Amino acid sequence: MAKIVVTAPQLPAALDLLSEHQVVGGDHFMDREELAQNIQGADALLSSLSDPLDAQMIQQAGPQLKVIGQCAAGFNNIDLQAARQANIAVTTTPGVLHEATADLAFALLLQVTRRTGEAERLVRAGKAWRYDHTFMLGMGLQGATLGIVGLGQIGEAMARRGAAFGMNILYSAHSDKDTSRIGGKVRRVSNDELIASSDVVSLHCPLTNETRHLIDADALNSMKESAYLVNTARGACVDEKALASALQKGQIAGAGLDVYEDEPAISPELMRMENVVLLPHIGSATRPTREKMSALTARNILAVLEGRQPENQL
């Protein structure tokens, strides 16, 4: 019987599959101290994006740790080099969350461009309003340009939604992608051209040294004053202080964010802005998607423990 540490609340889809082993946790979030205590002697770890799996934590586990099953598509919280040196398999959950995340990204796009959050807050506050030809004007999508940074599974799904709404699609990537499933007008350009030309810039890239603060003060300054930024990728892809400053100065029209540099903390300036939509990192948060993610993570862990090849090993 293996010891499997589950670092955060999990759905039954994962816990039921692991029930023949000694499961520690799964009903609460472990802070660094608790995780450090429980990881000692663990054979497997079912982790989340917020877990600090740096070299020190990985070394603390001991030589028996065989697998880190990350219940997410991302893995920037894990020191992969330290894991490889310790012969620890690291698995993730790509391929099951792209449609749900693209739905949420496009919801952010609609909210911020059509000012629906701002409008609902006005109604709920009981403020006076009446139909007016010039009231709460937003941006139309038909014929507008949607810039997708990173045309992976989520980026492609986002592009398909934009094309269905009559948007022209620009994308940036390291190489040409198959865009036959997107439809409409699709063109690959450089990051610089995409940022300067798009009416909505939507981030769908992993967090790497190359993409950290990809959207910085210079990038924001090059965007159209009428343009919007959407981020459902990783918070640190955007310089949050620079974004707040750009919004205060009117350098861009607004932003829709589901991720933040130091989440759950959010820049106070952003919290006060009406032209910013803020969501609490719920990109993949549909029950069917999260159940698939949980089950896939558990299957990956069991595969490694049983000496089989997992579905999604990095």
Side-chain angles (χ1 to χ4, degrees), residues 9-312:
Q10 267 297 335
L11 294 172
L15 299 179
D16 290 349
L17 286 172
L18 302 175
S19 60
E20 293 185 2
H21 295 277
Q22 178 193 355
V23 176
V24 178
D27 59 351
H28 68 286
F29 288 98
M30 293 186 181
D31 60 19
R32 186 179 183 97
E33 182 179 357
E34 184 179 4
L35 177 57
Q37 292 174 350
N38 282 300
I39 201 172
Q40 296 179 32
D43 299 287
L45 195 67
L46 197 164
S47 60
S48 71
L49 276 171
S50 58
D51 294 324
L53 299 178
D54 51 31
Q56 181 182 2
M57 184 68 72
I58 289 170
Q59 291 166 3
Q60 198 161 341
Q64 80 297 321
L65 184 63
K66 299 180 180 65
V67 56
I68 297 172
Q70 175 101 319
C71 194
F75 49 86
N76 53 282
N77 61 308
I78 303 172
D79 188 325
L80 293 180
Q81 183 177 357
R84 292 189 184 105
Q85 289 175 346
N87 293 316
I88 299 168
V90 178
T91 70
T92 56
T93 62
V96 296
L97 54 77
H98 53 285
E99 297 291 353
T101 304
D103 282 347
L104 194 282
F106 207 78
L108 280 171
L109 183 155
L110 287 170
Q111 276 193 283
V112 70
T113 60
R114 290 301 305 272
R115 303 172 65 182
T116 58
E118 182 182 354
E120 191 199 24
R121 286 189 293 274
L122 181 144
V123 172
R124 287 187 179 275
K127 295 181 180 179
W129 65 275
R130 58 175 291 177
Y131 174 80
D132 184 320
H133 199 61
T134 62
F135 180 55
M136 283 284 171
L137 298 180
M139 186 189 88
L141 301 187
Q142 295 73 29
T145 298
L146 171 59
I148 307 276
V149 179
L151 201 73
Q153 290 179 315
I154 301 172
E156 181 188 312
M158 181 67 165
R160 283 191 276 106
R161 285 153 177 76
F165 273 72
M167 303 184 80
N168 302 314
I169 309 299
L170 299 179
Y171 77 93
S172 61
H174 289 298
S175 59
D176 289 337
K177 303 291 185 180
D178 178 6
T179 61
S180 60
R181 294 180 294 269
I182 295 173
K185 298 178 180 179
V186 185
R187 186 163 59 94
R188 180 185 170 214
V189 296
S190 67
N191 276 332
D192 289 345
E193 182 177 346
L194 184 150
I195 290 167
S197 302
S198 298
D199 297 298
V200 179
V201 175
S202 190
L203 304 184
H204 301 282
C205 50
L207 178 61
T208 65
N209 290 334
E210 182 183 0
T211 62
R212 185 176 296 275
H213 283 193
L214 175 70
I215 304 299
D216 57 11
D218 290 339
L220 290 160
N221 189 52
S222 71
M223 289 175 66
K224 299 177 182 179
E225 289 186 2
S226 57
Y228 297 84
L229 175 70
V230 172
N231 188 14
T232 56
R234 290 291 176 264
C237 292
V238 176
D239 183 334
E240 205 165 293
K241 290 183 179 179
L243 175 61
S245 176
L247 287 163
Q248 287 171 334
K249 295 174 182 176
Q251 289 178 318
I252 65 172
L257 308 173
D258 186 45
V259 290
Y260 310 92
E261 272 201 88
D262 191 28
E263 61 185 56
I266 302 173
S267 297
E269 296 85 359
L270 296 177
M271 297 283 284
R272 294 191 289 266
M273 294 179 183
E274 286 287 4
N275 59 339
V276 180
V277 180
L278 304 169
L279 298 181
H281 203 150
I282 56 172
S284 62
T286 69
R287 181 167 292 278
T289 298
R290 291 286 173 85
E291 286 176 345
K292 289 177 183 177
M293 292 169 65
S294 295
L296 176 56
T297 306
R299 291 198 305 271
N300 284 335
I301 288 172
L302 292 174
V304 174
L305 292 178
E306 295 166 7
R308 296 182 285 109
Q309 181 66 34
E311 295 179 48
N312 305 98

